Structures are given as C-alpha cells and as structure tokens.
Amino acid sequence: MPPGLLRGLVPRLDTFLCPFVAALARPEQGDNAGRYVRGLLSNLGAKTAEAIAYLHDHDRQGLQKFVGQSGWDHRPLLTELARQVGAELGEPDAVLAFDPSAFPKKGDRSVGVQRQWCGRLGKRENCQVGVYLAYVSRREHALVDTRLYLPREWTRRRKRMSEAGVPSAVRFRTRHDLALEMLDEHGSALPHAWVSGDDELGRCSWFRGALRARGERYLLAVPANTSVRDLAGDPPTSAGRGRRPKTRFGRADRWAAGRPARAWETVEVRDAEKGPLSVQAVRALVQARADNRASAVAEVLVVFRERQPDGSWKHDYLLSNAPADTPVAEFARVLNAHHRVEECLQRAKGEAGLADYQVRTWGGWHHHQALSLLATWFLTQEARRGKKADPGFDRPAGPAGHRPGAAPGRGVRPPGPGPADDGAVAAAERGGEVLPLEEAEPTATTASQA
C-alpha cells in the first residue's frame, strides 16, 4: 500500500456518505447508516448489527432496529450508487452482468429461506438467494443492485410472508423477472453495450426475447444440452418431393464435438501468472429450441473451450443476438467480463460483510445488502486511488470526485475502438434489428465457422 494512502480516509468516507444519507428521512437514520457502513468497513470478525453497535460503544437495540425493523427506503441509496458507478466507471462497451448468490441459513423463518441450489456449498441446501447486478468496464467492476428471490412456495404462504415483513403487493417473480427489473431501473444510468448472465438466465427463451425487445445485446450462458439447429449445416437428403428438409436439432455440446480442429479459433482472453491465457472458440448461426418451441429468430451459438491441467477441456456454451460477424475476441471479452461478478461478490463478502447479517425480515435483508454494497463501492474507490489510475483520485471518493465526460487518466484505455479491437466495439453497439430465420438461412454459410 503506497505511503500516505490512508491519510484523510475518515473525511473521505464522510464525504462519500453525504449523498446517500441525504436520501434518508431523519437525521438519526443518517447517523445509523454512517455508523453501520463504518462497522462494515472495520476489522470485525462478524459484521452484524450487534457487533457494530458495540464497536461504536452504542446500544445494540437502536442499530438492530434501524437495520431489521425500521421502514426506511433503501432504493434511493442504490439509485445514487448506480449513478456514481456509471459516472466513475462508465464506458460505452461495458457489460451489465447478472448473477445469483446464495447465503446458507438455518431454520425456515428468515425471509426466502428454503432448500434450493446453493452455489457456495455446491449442493441443495437451506439458503437465501439474491440476484445481483454488476457493472463491468475496463476501468473497474462494481456491484450496483440486488433483489431477494422468493421461491414460489414462499409466496403461497401469506401468513409467513406477513411475519417476515414482505410487502403485501409482492408476488412470485422469477430470477429473470428480477434481472429485468434491475435492468429497467438502472440501465439508462450505466453506459453499456452488452448484457450477460449465467445459464439459468440464458436457457430461458422468453428472457432472451425480453432483452431483444428492449434493444439490448446479450451474451448469455446456456446449458450444454441446449437444443440448436445449425442454419449452415447440411440438411438430410431430400426425397425429391415436398419441402426441402431442414437441418435437424441437436445438443450444443454434440454440435461442438463434431467441429473439426481447423474450425476452432484461438484467442487470448487475459494475462495470467504464467503468461497470456488463451482459449479456443467456434461459432455458428443457429435456431435454438426450448420447451418444444423453436425460436423465431436466429442467434449466434458461441462455444469456448479451455485446456485444463489434466488435459481435459472445459467448455462454455453461449447464445447471443449480436451480428454473426462479431469478432470472437469481442465475445471472449464479454465472457471474461461476466466472470468479474464473482470477484465483486468475494470482495463484498470478504471485506464489507455482505453475508454477515443476522436479520429475518424483507426490509432487514435489503437494508443490510444496500449498505454493504455502498461499503464495497467505497473500498473500490479507495483501491482505485491506490492504483493511481486517474490523476484526480486524490480528491474525496464520492460526488466531489466525479468528472463525467473527463478524459481517462494514464493507464486507463479510453472508451471506443483501439488498435487491437479490430472493430469489436463498433460491432458491439446495442440494439439493431433482429435477424429473422428466413433472412438468416440463405446467408448462414458465410456466417458459420464449421
């Protein structure tokens, strides 16, 4: 850590908190919010409301009530967070990345707790699940918002919902619904060219359709067994009468396994400890099918494979509505950007107490999460000051340090295509017309790399 980096840290934190606490209705709420964020940034082992209160030599009940029972609205704080992240990190080809994260919990009274897949434990377990939105640009990456997922069984038991403080208007919403809500709420404040997500989001055809309807360009993971029809593939032999037969649908992994070695393109994705990390990729224009219903539009299937230490291959299967001639390097950049979400979550859990809460209510969960995201953003700002990526970073983190439209400092690549982009950024502009199948098929031969 550079000498003097921590000098003025407390005043910077106070300045940072000003626009957030200004959104709270009463002065004592602002005091509690500041106290709680300082506790989340401390070296406490377990950053619960009780431990934070004792750290500040305050009565625990007041802080516990502020987090778990008080009715203050956390949404304005996250709106301000999105504004700051967009102003500080914004680039026109950045990525909005959605990813779920689970929190193991005991019992069944805490809001949303149920036996469901827990990625942290790698199995089905009693846990809560939040869906997170992260913003990823070349400058940095940061969590911007989250929504608690309520399983359908939870929303059917209105008494338990009421006891957990869930608003009466809340109904069952899929994780796809929650992601779209965050996109609609913050998309305009966060300059971006891409939306990315895990295979739970990508496997859903109506979610991809909803993104297309919003003019969003996506690169979404899909399961290996996703059913696709290669629009440039060789169709079955015709019997000579009736309609010309079309290429049959098949699993994405089997399609990839059938590609010859010459079809795979090597691309460098990032620097690693032992040198540049390279992966191989193959793509084709396809028609995807889910729930026995084929998509009405053509999409690009992109498959990446990476050699593992034991000699096997790790594969990633993705669907995109980007133009078929989008450089493979651009697809690789977006996939690599999506992986930054896990780094965001690790930072928030390890350094800002994201998973340390002891609250059972709907309001308590969202209050803690919002304040933890603010604490994580402050840490991100301080880390950027340490890297000296921008000559203006010695100013306080927060609105005083915002310089929308300012030129990037040394070490930060300016937005827009560079010499190594090969037009990738231009190809990644959002929106554009959807390619109907009837237009895709005649040109599919030139688009496929098979």
Side-chain angles (χ1 to χ4, degrees):
M1 183 175 293
L5 179 61
L6 296 180
R7 188 180 301 120
L9 179 66
V10 173
R12 285 198 301 274
L13 178 57
D14 290 340
T15 302
F16 168 84
L17 288 171
C18 281
F20 298 106
V21 299
L24 298 173
R26 299 195 302 274
E28 62 270 23
Q29 291 178 339
D31 292 341
N32 278 323
R35 192 172 294 123
Y36 198 77
V37 170
R38 291 184 185 90
L40 292 173
L41 293 170
S42 72
N43 61 354
L44 285 171
K47 299 175 182 180
T48 64
E50 180 178 9
I52 292 172
Y54 291 155
L55 174 68
H56 295 294
D57 198 24
H58 278 263
D59 178 71
R60 63 180 176 82
Q61 292 184 348
L63 200 59
Q64 287 176 330
K65 183 177 180 180
F66 167 73
V67 176
Q69 301 173 31
S70 182
W72 58 274
D73 187 1
H74 69 285
R75 302 306 316 163
L77 280 67
L78 295 180
T79 298
E80 171 63 16
L81 173 61
R83 187 196 69 78
Q84 290 191 20
V85 170
E88 287 282 355
L89 308 183
E91 290 183 337
D93 62 346
V95 180
L96 297 185
F98 293 99
D99 208 52
S101 186
F103 303 87
K105 292 291 176 182
K106 297 180 180 179
D108 62 356
R109 296 183 61 186
S110 295
V111 62
V113 164
Q114 181 174 296
R115 284 189 63 83
Q116 52 193 322
W117 177 257
C118 180
R120 186 175 178 180
L121 301 178
K123 61 180 180 179
R124 286 180 61 84
E125 192 54 84
N126 227 40
C127 62
Q128 294 167 309
V129 174
V131 180
Y132 290 83
L133 164 62
Y135 185 75
V136 185
S137 72
R138 293 177 180 84
R139 296 175 178 178
E140 249 295 354
H141 38 277
L143 295 175
V144 176
D145 199 358
T146 185
R147 297 286 196 279
L148 177 65
Y149 170 71
L150 287 180
R152 190 183 299 274
E153 291 79 0
W154 250 88
T155 60
R156 288 171 175 168
R157 297 175 60 179
R158 302 309 298 181
K159 181 180 179 181
R160 185 167 66 167
M161 292 266 284
S162 178
E163 291 173 348
V166 181
S168 58
V170 171
R171 296 292 184 269
F172 173 72
R173 290 171 293 175
T174 66
R175 301 181 190 189
H176 312 83
D177 293 323
L178 300 178
L180 292 173
E181 285 181 10
M182 289 187 280
L183 174 63
D184 292 341
E185 185 169 342
H186 302 300
S188 61
L190 300 168
H192 65 281
W194 293 90
V195 172
S196 69
D198 67 357
D199 58 4
E200 183 176 355
L201 295 180
R203 75 199 308 165
C204 181
S205 58
W206 79 257
F207 178 72
R208 304 197 306 271
L211 292 177
R212 292 193 297 268
R214 286 165 168 78
E216 299 287 348
R217 180 151 297 164
Y218 57 78
L219 182 68
L220 299 170
V222 293
N225 63 356
T226 298
S227 182
V228 296
R229 180 167 68 87
D230 187 346
L231 297 179
D234 295 327
T237 303
S238 174
R241 59 184 180 276
R243 285 187 175 185
R244 181 184 177 186
K246 295 182 178 181
T247 306
R248 295 187 178 93
F249 282 92
R251 289 170 53 117
D253 55 354
R254 293 173 183 169
W255 175 86
R259 299 308 95 194
R262 65 179 181 276
W264 293 87
E265 180 179 344
T266 301
V267 57
E268 292 185 2
V269 292
R270 65 180 183 275
D271 291 330
E273 293 182 0
K274 298 182 180 179
L277 177 63
S278 298
V279 298
Q280 294 183 347
V282 67
R283 58 179 167 169
L285 205 60
V286 302
Q287 181 183 22
R289 183 175 64 183
D291 300 325
N292 294 320
R293 178 178 298 179
S295 174
V297 300
E299 296 172 280
V300 180
L301 171 67
V302 188
V303 183
F304 288 99
R305 66 181 186 183
E306 179 183 343
R307 180 76 74 176
Q308 302 300 294
D310 63 0
S312 62
W313 291 98
K314 174 184 177 296
H315 290 78
D316 288 292
Y317 303 89
L318 307 111
L319 284 175
S320 176
N321 63 333
D325 59 355
T326 299
V328 169
E330 177 67 0
F331 287 127
R333 181 186 73 86
V334 178
L335 176 60
N336 192 49
H338 181 77
H339 292 160
R340 301 285 78 80
V341 181
E342 188 57 35
E343 294 179 11
C344 291
L345 289 166
Q346 288 177 356
R347 178 187 298 169
K349 291 178 180 180
E351 301 177 25
L354 187 73
D356 290 350
Y357 57 90
Q358 291 181 346
V359 294
R360 289 183 172 180
T361 65
W362 172 271
W365 190 91
H366 287 94
H367 291 163
H368 172 86
Q369 293 285 310
L371 294 171
S372 180
L373 294 193
L374 300 190
T376 307
W377 174 232
F378 178 76
L379 290 174
T380 301
Q381 295 285 65
E382 289 297 295
R384 296 186 73 222
R385 287 185 67 252
K387 294 176 183 177
K388 292 293 185 180
D390 190 300
F393 279 1
D394 283 328
R395 288 177 290 178
H402 289 166
R403 300 181 297 113
R410 291 171 295 175
V412 178
R413 198 194 114 166
D421 279 327
D422 193 24
V425 175
E429 292 178 358
R430 286 197 295 144
E433 296 182 359
V434 173
L435 186 61
L437 288 173
E438 57 268 23
E439 295 182 20
E441 292 189 78
T443 61
T445 302
T446 60
S448 174
Q449 300 299 311

